[in-house]
Every structure is written in structure tokens, then in C-alpha cells.
Amino acid sequence: MKKSLLTFVLIITSFTMSSQTIFGKWNSKNDETGKVDSVVEIYEKDGKAFAKIIDIKNPDRKTAVCSLCEGVNKDKPILGLNILSGLQKDGDEWSGGTILDPRNGKVYKSYVELVKPNKLKVRGYIGLSLFGKTTYWERAL
């Protein structure tokens, strides 16, 4: 009985702790439809945050490539594509990196901030943060 209770407490604690970080899997919604169109995984490497697309919900888009991307991402498969790069922790947010929008191939400056345990604010902008777009990702459970 004690082992079961201890196991339960450890599971709950680890779930609670993992929901207090930007790292993990997040649902990204299509702005036009409001439906989840992909799952993005944010991970840490060398003290910086990165993210890649790990699932595309539309079966017809699973083999799509980033034809509008430039440079090394040109014509790379969107599934598995790194879309967030080089964000560093700065107080409550992660900033100083970039985000790639595979829909238009453009790269923007970016920051992300955990606004609730299961809600992430993602902002991409050009120049000043005032000139950009904010979207919210929900944690994928």
C-alpha cells in the first residue's frame, strides 16, 4: 500500500513539475480554422530552447516540404523541421532566437513565455516586438 501511494505521489509530482516548463509537446493551431494542425516538441540543447514539428494532423500534409523556405530549409520535409532556434532563458520568457513559419517560409525573431502551466505564448516579430504576431500553443497531453 505504501509503495502504491509513493508511486502515485511521484507520478503526480513529476507531471506537475513538467507542466511548469516550456519543454515538451505542444499543439499548434491553424489560425484560419482554429483546429490543431501540428504537434511541436520544444527541447533544450546546450542551455538553449529549440523546437521541431513532430506530427502533422492532416494526412495529406504529412509529406509536405517547405518549398517557400530559403537556405538550408529549402524543400526540406516539414515533418521533423526545426522551427524554433536558439532561445535563451531571460526571466520568465525565452528570447533571442528565431521562429520559422513553414506556411510562408519566413524567419522571424521570437520569444516564448509560459502564461499558464499548459498554455504557451509564442511571438514572432520583425525588428521590434510591436510588429509581429502572437499565437498560443496548448500543451499536448
Side-chain angles (χ1 to χ4, degrees):
M1 179 70 174
K2 286 183 182 181
K3 285 184 179 181
S4 296
L5 181 61
L6 180 60
T7 302
F8 177 74
V9 169
L10 288 174
I11 290 171
I12 294 299
T13 303
S14 67
F15 178 74
T16 302
M17 288 175 59
S18 71
S19 67
Q20 299 298 319
T21 177
I22 66 166
F23 302 110
K25 297 176 183 172
W26 297 90
N27 290 322
S28 173
K29 292 183 179 177
N30 181 308
D31 292 334
E32 295 173 12
T33 65
K35 295 182 179 182
V36 173
D37 64 355
S38 63
V39 178
V40 178
E41 182 175 23
I42 300 179
Y43 60 95
E44 188 172 8
K45 180 179 174 187
D46 299 327
K48 295 182 179 183
F50 297 84
K52 63 182 173 183
I53 297 173
I54 61 168
D55 188 22
I56 297 174
K57 298 299 183 181
N58 182 342
D60 297 332
R61 301 270 310 145
K62 287 197 184 270
T63 59
V65 296
C66 195
S67 57
L68 298 175
C69 289
E70 297 178 357
V72 297
N73 291 322
K74 177 79 173 155
D75 294 327
K76 277 196 172 177
I78 293 174
L79 187 61
L81 190 65
N82 278 304
I83 60 167
L84 272 175
S85 298
L87 298 171
Q88 297 180 11
K89 186 149 179 57
D90 183 15
D92 290 338
E93 69 182 32
W94 289 74
S95 60
T98 59
I99 188 166
L100 166 68
D101 184 346
R103 290 180 188 92
N104 63 21
K106 296 190 186 296
V107 177
Y108 304 95
K109 291 181 181 179
S110 179
Y111 73 84
V112 300
E113 179 181 5
L114 193 66
V115 292
K116 292 183 181 175
N118 293 317
K119 188 172 187 178
L120 187 69
K121 176 182 178 180
V122 180
R123 180 138 179 95
Y125 59 95
I126 298 172
L128 300 174
S129 178
L130 295 170
F131 305 107
K133 180 180 170 186
T134 300
T135 189
Y136 292 91
W137 293 351
E138 304 263 329
R139 191 174 298 276
L141 301 175

